[in-house]
Amino acid sequence: MSTLTRTRVTDAAARLAEAGVESPRVDAELLAAYVLGVPRTRLVLAPELDDEAGARLDALVARRAAREPLQHLLTSAVLGPVSVAVGPGVFVPRPETELLLTEGVAALRGIAEPRAVDLCTGSGALALALATARPDAEVHAVELDEGALAWARRNLSGSTVRLTGADVTHPDTLATLEGIVDVVVANPPYVPEGTEVGPEVDHDPREAVFGGPDGLAVIRPLAATAARLLRDGGRVAVEHDESHAPAVRDVLTDAGFTDVATRSDLAGRPRVAVGARRRAS
């Protein structure tokens, strides 16, 4: 990295740190790499930031310091093996959803030509990641919000994922798949109304973040939808607020799931509830 570029990145990181950004150096390097059109790992070998590129970087850093999501500035977000386009009107995939992807892929292990369903798909990132990890899978994605659907259509165009605009809580959604799905994954809105959230979250659509007074308004009917879709032995994995682990386990149990458990992320926070569908013989 040239001396001038290093200085600009250091100054940008200091400005972001002062603004309270959680990872100021990483964000500064990612923004500089974006301006220069190189991966962050190649930033050290990139050409020097000229005045025009420096001005672009300054503008992006100012927006990030105002706590606009980094992914909006980079115009993309990464989840597992895929990168998807994101921006205003769609929920930005978070690193913690990697755990949900891991559980979904694990549930399909050993199953030939499996079926998977992603409820509340948002940008389509999780469905696309599942389809990438298992190219032999029939993957369905469901989203209700028209704004998010536009992003999902863009991101899933050209893929094998089958996108449906529908309400995941409606008893007729994906009726043709009842009892034949191998795994259902979901990252629904789950933050209780009135909860104070970070400034970046304010840029996400409210309907993708808040899940009613207790945060479970979507999770409860969604669990019933998952139970309806899954075959005997099929698996469900639902992301939830770290304070909701016991409550979501109870929701899954009440919906007819067995072997219900909670999975924790790398920081030890309980973030995903899992269970198996057992149908009466």
Side-chain angles (χ1 to χ4, degrees), residues 210-238:
F210 296 100
D214 63 356
L216 302 176
V218 176
I219 290 178
R220 290 190 186 94
L222 181 148
T225 297
R228 175 172 55 81
L229 296 175
L230 288 166
R231 63 168 174 80
D232 184 46
R235 304 282 299 179
V236 66
V238 181

Side-chain angles (χ1 to χ4, degrees), residues 3-280:
T3 301
L4 179 58
T5 298
R6 184 179 294 107
T7 298
R8 284 187 178 274
V9 169
T10 299
D11 291 346
R15 184 174 181 183
L16 296 180
E18 185 178 357
V21 172
E22 187 174 333
S23 52
R25 182 73 190 191
V26 171
D27 285 21
E29 290 180 356
L30 285 168
L31 291 172
Y34 175 72
V35 167
L36 289 168
V38 299
R40 180 185 170 214
T41 54
R42 304 285 294 178
L43 187 58
V44 67
L45 301 175
E48 186 173 297
L49 280 161
D50 59 22
D51 289 343
E52 181 182 354
R56 289 179 59 207
L57 176 60
D58 289 343
L60 289 172
V61 169
R63 291 169 63 186
R64 185 69 186 104
R67 307 305 291 273
E68 190 170 341
L70 176 67
Q71 296 88 345
H72 283 195
L73 304 180
L74 300 179
T75 70
S76 64
V78 174
L79 180 64
V82 303
S83 176
V84 295
V86 295
V90 70
F91 184 82
V92 173
R94 295 333 196 241
E96 49 264 34
T97 302
E98 296 275 355
L99 178 59
L100 192 59
L101 173 61
T102 297
E103 290 296 324
V105 172
L108 298 180
R109 195 167 294 132
I111 301 174
E113 299 182 351
R115 287 187 181 91
V117 171
D118 175 24
L119 301 176
C120 303
T121 195
S123 67
L126 183 55
L128 186 60
L130 281 172
T132 302
R134 286 297 302 267
D136 62 328
E138 178 185 308
V139 180
H140 295 259
V142 182
E143 177 57 51
L144 176 63
D145 181 74
E146 286 296 331
L149 269 173
W151 287 99
R153 290 190 187 101
R154 173 179 174 181
N155 289 320
L156 299 176
S157 176
S159 78
T160 59
V161 177
R162 306 179 189 186
L163 178 63
T164 299
D167 185 347
V168 301
T169 70
H170 195 280
D172 291 334
T173 294
L174 298 185
T176 60
L177 298 180
E178 289 188 10
I180 61 172
V181 174
D182 296 293
V183 67
V184 171
V185 294
N187 182 13
Y190 54 70
V191 177
E193 291 285 354
T195 301
E196 185 175 346
V197 296
E200 285 84 358
V201 179
D202 287 334
H203 291 266
D204 287 317
R206 287 187 59 83
E207 59 272 17
V209 175
F210 296 100
D214 63 356
L216 302 176
V218 176
I219 290 178
R220 290 190 186 94
L222 181 148
T225 297
R228 175 172 55 81
L229 296 175
L230 288 166
R231 63 168 174 80
D232 184 46
R235 304 282 299 179
V236 66
V238 181
E239 186 172 322
H240 57 73
D241 186 81
E242 59 187 285
S243 66
H244 283 158
V248 178
R249 287 197 301 268
D250 288 345
V251 168
L252 292 186
T253 300
D254 291 345
F257 289 95
T258 62
D259 302 326
V260 174
T262 300
R263 304 286 191 249
S264 297
D265 62 18
L266 293 177
R269 299 172 299 182
R271 294 309 305 269
V272 171
V274 299
R277 179 71 168 113
R278 301 298 178 194
R279 294 182 174 273

